[in-house]
Amino acid sequence: MTGILALALGYLLGSVPWGLLLTRAAGLGDIRSIGSGNIGATNVLRTGNKSLAAATMVLDILKGVAALALARALWGETAGLLAGFGAMLGHAFPVWIGFKGGKGVATGGGVLLAAAWWLGLGAALVWLVMAFVTRISSASALAACAVAPAIAAAAGRWDLAAFSAGIAVLVAWRHKANIERLLAGTEPRIGRKG
């Protein structure tokens, strides 16, 4: 029962569509009508509003942190990890907007950071290096998620390796179209409008 509560708590926190709410509040309309149609920070950046994109990223990270940290404080480590994965599911499939949400990168980063600061930091560093080298957000996200299980395994944390592998699978699945464009060489660069 505790596991179900943790998963539900995480899902509800994760399902808040910050990118959509912030762009509407700023008078920019429905973020789902531009670029990739996604509600995450990368697509918000396509509006040209960098501060709004940054705010979206921070809030999406924080909802992952909050879900895991709150459930862990209430019910323990396992419940925290379940809530963290629930937050990922909530972000990707939010009930409020027809189960069509984001790709889970920022929320996943928050979840990894809350699970173990060194794991979240390691994944973030991989993302930053890849973003600097490729200027492609999806490639950076996929690389960071792919490396996270190896970082956890190298630290001897097999529980976190399995957990981060689950996150990597979800993020990769949500990036199916991006992977096709990466293979075709047509994936847009970070900051490109519309």
Side-chain angles (χ1 to χ4, degrees):
M1 186 62 174
T2 299
I4 293 171
L5 287 173
L7 201 59
L9 171 69
Y11 178 85
L12 289 173
L13 287 172
S15 68
V16 178
W18 286 115
L20 178 64
L21 296 174
L22 291 175
T23 50
R24 279 189 176 166
L28 298 174
D30 191 334
I31 188 65
R32 296 170 295 179
S33 66
I34 70 158
S36 65
N38 193 271
I39 62 166
T42 300
N43 203 43
V44 173
L45 185 60
R46 292 187 179 109
T47 67
N49 191 321
K50 292 179 182 178
S51 60
L52 213 57
T56 300
M57 180 179 291
V58 168
L59 289 168
D60 282 348
I61 289 169
L62 288 177
K63 69 185 181 183
V65 170
L68 194 147
L70 182 57
R72 181 168 53 199
L74 290 172
W75 303 302
E77 185 70 23
T78 301
L81 296 179
L82 283 170
F85 198 74
M88 293 287 298
L89 292 174
H91 182 78
F93 309 105
V95 64
W96 323 113
I97 54 173
F99 301 100
K100 294 178 182 176
K103 296 180 182 175
V105 179
T107 302
V111 166
L112 292 178
L113 192 61
W117 67 267
W118 47 267
L119 180 57
L121 182 60
L125 288 174
V126 170
W127 190 95
L128 285 170
V129 169
M130 286 297 292
F132 180 77
V133 171
T134 68
R135 302 290 302 155
I136 300 175
S137 180
S138 60
S140 306
L142 291 165
C145 289
V147 169
I151 294 170
R157 290 294 306 271
W158 298 104
D159 57 335
L160 294 181
F163 175 68
S164 55
I167 288 175
V169 168
L170 179 58
V171 169
W173 186 66
R174 295 292 292 160
H175 278 80
K176 287 184 295 186
N178 302 84
I179 292 169
E180 291 173 6
R181 289 191 297 270
L182 284 167
L183 293 173
T186 58
E187 182 74 339
R189 304 275 175 178
I190 294 171
R192 194 193 79 174
K193 287 189 180 182

